Amino acid sequence: MTISVKRVYEAPAAGDGVRVLVDRLWPRGLTKEKAAVKYWLRDLAPSTELRQWFHANPDAWRSFAGAT
């Protein structure tokens, strides 16, 4: 099984397969029809607190991801 990552704002393609959105918030300005997602798994996305922390500390991503 192959899993691909794609921005939800990108147009659906014939080879996408099942599209799953993993985000706490629905994407701004995007209708459910245009998103063409079969499942919206918001509970798998980072918590609101973690999102807010990363927003306030954008340089922390590199250390979180293990980059040097």
Side-chain angles (χ1 to χ4, degrees), residues 28-68:
R28 201 177 282 213
L30 191 64
T31 64
K32 292 184 180 182
E33 292 76 30
K34 279 190 174 183
V37 296
K38 183 164 184 167
Y39 302 104
W40 179 18
L41 304 177
R42 41 183 131 173
D43 291 336
L44 291 181
S47 67
T48 299
E49 293 80 13
L50 183 58
R51 270 189 329 96
Q52 290 171 344
W53 183 82
F54 273 124
H55 181 75
N57 302 284
D59 293 332
W61 173 252
R62 297 185 86 191
S63 62
F64 178 79
T68 56

